[in-house]
Amino acid sequence: MKPIFTVTWLLASALAFGQKLQLNDSSYFETRGVNIFVFNNQYNGMFFDEKTAGIELIQHGVRTATGGAVRLQNTPEQWDLVPALVDRKVDRQKHSVEVMLKYDEFAFTSRITVMPKDNGVEISVYLDKPVPAKLEGKAGFNLEFLPTAYFEKSYLVDGKAGNFPLYPAGSTMIEKADQKIPQFAGYTTFDDRGRGEFIIPQPLATGKTIVLAPEDAERLVTIQSADAPLMLFDGRNLAQNGWFIVRSLLPAGKTGKVLTWYLEPNAIPNWKRAPMIAFSQVGYQPAQEKMAVIELDKNDAPLQSASLFQITGNGTPVEKLKGEIKPWGQYLRYNYVQFDFSAVKEPGLYFIQYGDHKTNVFTIGQDIYKDSWHPTLDVWFPVQMDHMQVNEAYRIWHGVPFLDDALQAPVNHQHFDGYRMGPVTDTKYKSYERIPGLAVGGWFDAGDFDIQTGSHCSAILSFVDAWEKLKITRDETFIDQATRYVDIHRPDGKPDLLQQIEHGSLNLVAQVKNIGHPVRGIVVPNLHQYHHLGDASTETDNLPYNPALKPYQSDGRTSGTKDDRWAFTNRNSFLDYHTAAALAAAHRALKGYNDTLSQQCLLYARQLWNENARQPAGSDTGFMAAFRRNTEMAAALQLFIATKEAQYATRFKEMIFPTLDRSLQFGMTVALQAIPYMDKDYQNRLRDYVVKFRTMSDDYNKQNPYGVPMTARGWGGNSAIINWAITNYYAHNYFPDIIGTEYVYKGLNYIFGCHPYHNLSFVSAVGTRSKKVTYGNNRADFSYIAGGVVPGLLVLHPDFPENKEDWPFLWGENEVVIDICASYIFLSAAVNDLNNK
C-alpha cells in the first residue's frame, strides 16, 4: 500500500509535466490527462487481436485508441495475422521506446520507435529490408480508434470536414481471394459462398493531416504524416467489432526510416478525473458493514469527509451521517479513500455525497438480496438453452438450433477457438462422421454458440448446491423438452432450478451415451459461422451433413453444406472426473423428478469413475495433473454423497488434506462442502486450514482497497471473487467464530458495484444502475440479457483498470458465461439465506 500523494508533490508534478509527454517509471508516456502505451500490452497469439495491444492511447481517463502496429490489412479482423513482439527497448536517455515486430509467415521484420515531440509523440517505422513483394500495397502502420468515443463527432482531413458515421456506411470493393492475406490456419471470416472473393473496405477520407473530434477537447487528436498519405477507415464494414482506423501504407523498395507520424492527443490543462464513488447498487442489509470506496485521480487531494443522505417520502434529502474519510493509498494508477457508513441502520433510500459528487440512490433494507438472483435464473439461463426455441412475451430470442447433432472433429486439427484434436479420435467414429443423439439439452457457453462441457459441469454443480442447500423452488419459466419450447415469465408448476439441472444433464448423458465419454466441446467448424450474431437457429441449416449432396443442396432431410458442429473428442481424466462429479450431483437432485435421467446420471458417473480409476496416476502431468486431482476429489465426494459407499469416502479423505497443503484456494470449498458427510475429527482437523484461509483473505485488505482477490489477467476476475465469497459462506456456516459474514458480503458488494473504474453492478438488471452493454449473442445491438454476469475488470499493463460500458465487444471484460452465472445464483441466494438466518 502506497501513501496518498501530498498536495505539494501534486503541484510540483503538474508544473514539471505541463503539456509535454514524459517517459514515466512505468515505461509509458504520460502528461496530465494523456497516456501513451507502447506495447505495454502484446498480441497474445491465441485469440489474436483482442483490441488490447500495441500502441494505445488513454485520453482523459478513457482508452480511446489501440492496435498501433504494422498490420497487413486496411481494417484487420480478430483472426487476421498479428505481429509477434521480438524485442522492446526503453531508452531513458533518449526518452524513447523501440519495439521490433515480426511476421514469421512472411519473414517480415519492422522496428517502431516512439519518442516525445512538441506536445505529442513522433512514431517512426524502420525497415532493415524492403517490404516483401507479397506485402507491397498491403503492409502499413495502423492506429485504431474506439467508435463510441467518436460517435456524433466530426473530423478534418487536410481541412475538409466530415462526420464519423454512427452506423457503418463506407464504400467497399470485391477482390479475388488469391489476393487476400491468409487468416488464421487458412480459415476465413467471410462466407463467399464458393465465389473465391473477399471484401476490401475503402477509406472514408485521405490526406496528410487528420484531426479527430476538433470540437471535443477531451477527444481531440491530431495526426500528421510526413511521408505517406493518412487514410481513415471504418472497420465495422467487415465486422461489428471493428474500430475506426487511421492507416498509412509502407513504401515498396525502401529501407531505413520509411514512415513518420506525429501524433498529438489534446491534453486539457490541469485536468483531473472526477472522483468515482463505488458502492453496492443493490444496497445493504441494516446490520452489515457498509463501506464506500472512492477512487481519485492521483492529482486530486482527498477531502476530509463525506456524507450519507436519506431521501424522505416527499423527496427531501436529509443528512444522516457526516463521516471522516479514511485514506487507503494507491492501487494501480489511482488513489483510494474509504467512507464507512455502517452506523446507519435505518431502512430507506440513500445516496452518498463526496464534495460536489453525488451517487444515485440505493437501499438499506432487510430483504435487499431476496430477488437479486431472479433475473439470472428467470431470463439469462433460459435464453442460453440450446436445442430449444426460447420465447419471452412478444419476443423470440431464438428458434430451435443445432438439430443436426454433430460430426466427429477431424484428427490433427487446431481449431480457431482453442479446441484441438490429436492423431486419434478416442471414439468409434471416423473424422467427419455424424455422431447421433447429441441434439438435446445443454446451454450456449457464452456469447457464441458452443457447448463447453467443463462449464456445464461447473454450472450443474452450482445448481445442485443451490437446490440441496438453499431449497430454491422458484417457478417462472415454462420448459417443455418434448416440444423443445421455452417461455419466459410463464410458470409451469415445476421448479426452474430442477428443469435447468435436467437440461444440462441431458447433454452430458447424451455425450457419454453416444460418444463413450464427455468431450472438450461441440462447436461450429467455420470461422464465418463462429462470429454469428443473433438467432442461433440460423447458424446452421439444421440438417445433418450428407457428403453425397453438393454445398447448399438439400433433399429435405439432409444437406450438402458442411455447417454441422464438430465434437472435439480427445479424452482426458480431468474432464471425466469433472463430469462424474456433476452427474453424481444431478442424480440426487433429479431423483423423484426425472427418475430415468437420475439413474442414467448415476450409471455414467460410476462408469467414468471406474474407467479413470484404472488409469495410471502419472498419465497426466503439469497443470492437467493438478486439474485431475481436484476433479477426482470432487467426484469422490459427490459419489459418496450419492451412494454412501466407503470407497469414495476413502479416496476423498486420502486426497483432501494434501490438496489443501498445496493450495487453499483450490481445495477449501470442496473441503468445507464435505463436513456434513464426515466425522467430527475431520471438522476439527479442517479448523487450522480455515484459520489459514482467513489469514489469506485478510491479506487482500492490504493488496487492494476492496479487500477481495482481484486478478490482473486477460479475462476479468469476477469468477474468482464469487467463488471466494462462496467459500467464505461455507466457512461461516461451519466455523462462524473464524469467518464472519462480512467476508461473504464483501465479495457480493464488489460484484454489485464496489469496484474500480465505474460503480455499475456487474449483473445486468440487478441494482439501481447495472451493465446495459454486454458481450452476448445480441452484442451487435449494444444491449444485454437480464441477469448476465460479466467477467469484470480487465487490467491493461501496467496500471490501467477498465470495464467498458459503451463497447460490448471486449470479451475479456463483458462476455457472459454459464459457470459464473450459475455460481452467482448460488452466492446471491446464499447471502439472502444468511439474512434470513
Side-chain angles (χ1 to χ4, degrees):
M1 183 169 66
K2 299 180 182 179
I4 295 289
F5 297 114
T6 64
V7 175
T8 303
W9 186 94
L10 294 175
L11 292 173
S13 175
L15 291 172
F17 275 78
Q19 287 287 101
K20 305 296 184 182
L21 284 155
Q22 303 287 328
L23 188 60
N24 66 15
D25 292 339
S26 296
S27 298
Y28 62 83
F29 297 98
E30 179 180 24
T31 191
R32 191 151 171 182
V34 170
N35 308 148
I36 296 178
F37 289 5
V38 181
F39 279 83
N40 295 78
N41 301 280
Q42 305 175 30
Y43 301 106
N44 72 17
M46 174 57 186
F47 290 104
F48 287 70
D49 187 0
E50 299 93 340
K51 307 299 183 190
T52 55
I55 298 174
E56 302 180 273
L57 169 63
I58 298 170
Q59 192 175 19
H60 303 114
V62 179
R63 187 170 61 101
T64 58
T66 191
V70 173
R71 300 300 300 272
L72 308 181
Q73 290 85 8
N74 293 343
T75 60
E77 298 175 74
Q78 180 175 342
W79 303 104
D80 282 316
L81 299 180
V82 295
L85 180 66
V86 177
D87 191 26
R88 181 178 188 268
K89 296 178 181 177
V90 177
D91 190 328
R92 297 199 174 276
Q93 289 187 331
K94 295 182 179 179
H95 308 287
S96 68
V97 179
E98 178 182 279
V99 295
M100 180 178 290
L101 307 177
K102 185 177 182 180
Y103 286 95
D104 290 323
E105 299 83 354
F106 299 95
F108 174 45
T109 301
S110 60
R111 287 183 294 116
I112 300 174
T113 63
V114 182
M115 58 194 324
K117 180 181 178 181
D118 299 333
N119 289 330
V121 293
E122 183 175 87
I123 303 172
S124 301
V125 180
Y126 295 83
L127 300 180
D128 295 329
K129 296 180 181 179
V131 173
K134 289 183 178 180
L135 299 182
E136 290 180 1
K138 295 180 173 64
F141 182 81
N142 292 15
L143 185 59
E144 307 189 21
F145 290 85
L146 181 68
T148 49
Y150 291 93
F151 284 164
E152 301 180 338
K153 295 182 175 63
S154 63
Y155 59 82
L156 295 170
V157 178
D158 292 346
K160 185 178 180 180
N163 292 317
F164 285 101
L166 185 63
Y167 197 83
S171 299
T172 62
M173 62 178 289
I174 290 295
E175 184 65 83
K176 291 296 182 182
D178 59 6
Q179 297 299 307
K180 182 176 174 61
I181 300 294
Q183 295 180 287
F184 168 73
Y187 289 101
T188 177
T189 53
F190 179 53
D191 183 6
D192 68 355
R193 295 283 167 145
R195 295 175 61 88
E197 59 189 28
F198 70 104
I199 298 172
I200 303 179
Q202 299 299 290
L204 300 173
T206 302
K208 283 298 186 78
T209 300
I210 290 182
V211 181
L212 311 180
E215 72 274 33
D216 184 349
E218 287 200 338
R219 298 291 169 259
L220 169 61
V221 177
T222 300
I223 305 174
Q224 297 172 336
S225 173
D227 310 293
L230 297 165
M231 298 175 285
L232 177 63
F233 291 93
D234 188 344
R236 298 171 302 153
N237 281 308
L238 283 187
Q240 279 84 355
N241 62 355
W243 292 36
F244 294 129
I245 296 170
V246 179
R247 170 175 170 83
S248 287
L249 288 175
L250 302 184
K254 291 188 177 182
T255 59
K257 185 191 286 190
V258 298
L259 183 70
T260 302
W261 278 14
Y262 173 66
L263 172 71
E264 184 180 311
N266 183 58
I268 297 173
N270 301 316
W271 177 85
K272 284 191 302 187
R273 182 174 181 264
M276 192 280 291
I277 306 170
F279 63 98
S280 170
Q281 292 284 349
V282 167
Y284 300 87
Q285 195 266 350
Q288 76 176 95
E289 180 182 281
K290 307 174 190 72
M291 182 79 74
V293 179
I294 303 172
E295 186 176 81
L296 299 174
D297 188 285
K298 64 184 179 182
N299 295 294
D300 196 353
L303 303 177
Q304 296 300 308
S305 64
S307 295
L308 182 74
F309 286 84
Q310 185 178 23
I311 302 292
T312 63
N314 62 7
T316 303
V318 176
E319 188 176 51
K320 288 290 183 176
L321 174 70
K322 185 172 185 179
E324 183 181 357
I325 288 296
K326 177 184 176 183
W328 185 89
Q330 183 178 349
Y331 175 66
L332 300 174
R333 64 171 48 206
Y334 300 120
N335 289 328
Y336 291 87
V337 297
Q338 296 172 327
F339 172 51
D340 188 341
F341 55 101
S342 303
V344 178
K345 303 180 186 300
E346 181 184 353
L349 289 176
Y350 293 86
F351 68 85
I352 299 166
Q353 181 161 346
Y354 174 79
D356 296 330
H357 302 276
K358 300 178 182 179
T359 69
N360 56 272
V361 297
F362 58 90
T363 303
I364 295 178
Q366 187 64 40
D367 297 328
I368 58 166
Y369 299 114
K370 70 182 179 66
D371 300 332
S372 56
W373 51 272
H374 288 180
T376 311
L377 183 61
D378 294 356
V379 181
W380 192 85
F381 263 99
V383 172
Q384 298 302 113
M385 293 175 76
D386 199 350
H387 303 112
M388 308 288 275
Q389 178 177 317
V390 180
N391 181 75
E392 182 182 16
Y394 294 178
R395 175 180 194 168
I396 292 194
W397 281 94
H398 58 77
V400 183
F402 305 119
L403 294 179
D404 35 14
D405 290 320
L407 304 181
Q408 170 68 61
V411 297
N412 297 316
H413 182 83
Q414 173 63 59
H415 189 265
F416 44 79
D417 195 22
Y419 297 97
R420 186 191 307 270
M421 282 295 298
V424 295
T425 65
D426 289 334
T427 71
K428 64 182 180 181
Y429 301 101
K430 298 178 181 178
S431 297
Y432 304 111
E433 185 177 354
R434 181 187 176 192
I435 303 173
L438 298 181
V440 60
W443 303 284
F444 307 136
D445 177 64
D448 40 29
F449 300 105
D450 57 335
I451 294 276
Q452 287 208 26
T453 302
S455 297
H456 275 62
C457 295
S458 296
I460 289 171
L461 286 165
S462 292
F463 282 155
V464 174
D465 282 345
W467 175 254
E468 292 183 334
K469 298 175 176 65
L470 304 174
K471 312 301 181 186
I472 291 177
T473 58
R474 182 172 174 79
D475 172 25
E476 274 294 314
T477 312
F478 177 91
I479 300 175
D480 185 4
Q481 293 290 341
T483 60
R484 299 182 184 271
Y485 185 70
V486 176
D487 203 3
I488 296 172
H489 310 307
R490 175 184 172 184
D492 61 2
K494 302 174 184 177
D496 294 341
L497 199 60
L498 277 185
Q499 290 178 298
Q500 291 296 346
I501 293 170
E502 176 186 48
H503 193 71
S505 300
L506 283 168
N507 193 263
L508 294 187
V509 166
Q511 290 185 32
V512 183
K513 179 179 179 180
N514 294 287
I515 297 172
H517 58 264
V519 301
R520 163 75 174 82
I522 304 173
V523 63
V524 290
N526 301 306
L527 195 50
H528 63 75
Q529 291 176 272
Y530 181 76
H531 60 55
H532 177 88
L533 297 172
D535 188 340
S537 68
T538 60
E539 191 169 14
T540 73
D541 58 18
N542 256 343
L543 299 173
Y545 172 62
N546 183 348
L549 298 174
K550 295 180 180 180
Y552 312 109
Q553 283 188 341
S554 171
D555 59 11
R557 295 175 293 103
T558 61
S559 163
T561 305
K562 287 185 176 181
D563 60 4
D564 303 27
R565 290 193 294 190
W566 289 356
F568 283 77
T569 59
N570 284 145
R571 190 170 191 177
N572 68 72
S573 55
F574 152 71
L575 189 57
D576 276 12
Y577 279 126
H578 201 187
T579 305
L583 290 176
H587 155 73
R588 303 192 304 270
L590 295 172
K591 191 182 299 184
Y593 175 75
N594 185 334
D595 286 326
T596 299
L597 182 60
S598 172
Q599 290 304 313
Q600 288 177 319
C601 287
L602 183 58
L603 170 69
Y604 291 124
R606 287 183 184 274
Q607 175 181 308
L608 293 171
W609 175 274
N610 292 334
E611 290 174 354
N612 280 272
R614 294 192 290 267
Q615 298 293 321
S619 58
D620 292 309
T621 59
F623 285 115
M624 291 308 299
F627 290 154
R628 170 178 171 151
R629 287 192 298 266
N630 291 339
T631 55
E632 180 183 357
M633 187 171 58
L637 176 61
Q638 295 298 334
L639 279 163
F640 175 65
I641 299 171
T643 68
K644 303 301 186 292
E645 293 178 12
Q647 61 166 325
Y648 302 120
T650 299
R651 184 59 179 148
F652 175 80
K653 287 187 282 190
E654 288 174 353
M655 301 184 73
I656 184 60
F657 290 106
T659 297
L660 291 174
D661 290 334
R662 282 189 294 266
S663 172
L664 286 175
Q665 183 178 0
F666 294 108
M668 183 55 70
T669 304
V670 69
L672 292 163
Q673 289 171 329
I675 286 177
Y677 312 100
M678 299 291 155
D679 55 28
K680 193 66 176 177
D681 288 342
Y682 174 88
Q683 184 168 351
N684 291 337
R685 187 177 176 187
L686 192 57
R687 170 174 284 273
D688 289 341
Y689 290 94
V690 176
V691 171
K692 293 177 183 177
F693 186 80
R694 185 189 64 184
T695 301
M696 181 181 75
S697 296
D698 288 341
D699 192 55
Y700 297 137
N701 291 313
K702 303 173 185 177
Q703 296 177 22
N704 63 74
Y706 305 94
V708 299
M710 296 177 64
T711 57
R713 306 174 298 183
W715 183 268
N718 282 351
S719 181
I721 293 168
I722 288 174
N723 290 332
W724 170 76
I726 288 172
T727 304
N728 284 318
Y729 167 77
Y730 282 118
H732 172 73
N733 279 345
Y734 301 119
F735 301 95
D737 57 319
I738 301 174
I739 300 290
T741 56
E742 294 306 329
Y743 291 86
V744 190
Y745 287 129
K746 193 177 293 185
L748 201 53
N749 288 344
Y750 181 95
I751 299 299
F752 286 154
C754 193
H755 52 69
Y757 193 71
H758 58 57
N759 59 18
L760 299 177
S761 166
F762 282 134
V763 189
S764 293
V766 174
T768 309
R769 296 181 66 241
S770 64
K771 292 287 296 182
K772 293 181 180 178
V773 176
T774 67
Y775 187 108
N777 56 61
N778 58 334
R779 55 191 176 273
D781 302 323
F782 283 67
S783 59
Y784 64 94
I785 303 171
V789 187
V790 300
L793 203 72
L794 202 65
V795 177
L796 281 79
H797 297 299
D799 62 2
F800 185 68
E802 179 180 85
N803 180 269
K804 284 193 177 295
E805 177 61 2
D806 61 350
W807 192 250
F809 300 104
L810 297 174
W811 47 264
E813 303 177 10
N814 284 327
E815 184 173 18
V816 184
V817 295
I818 61 174
D819 51 358
I820 188 176
C821 288
S823 59
Y824 163 75
I825 289 174
F826 179 85
L827 173 61
S828 183
V831 168
N832 186 57
D833 180 64
L834 282 180
N835 289 340
N836 292 336
K837 289 178 179 177

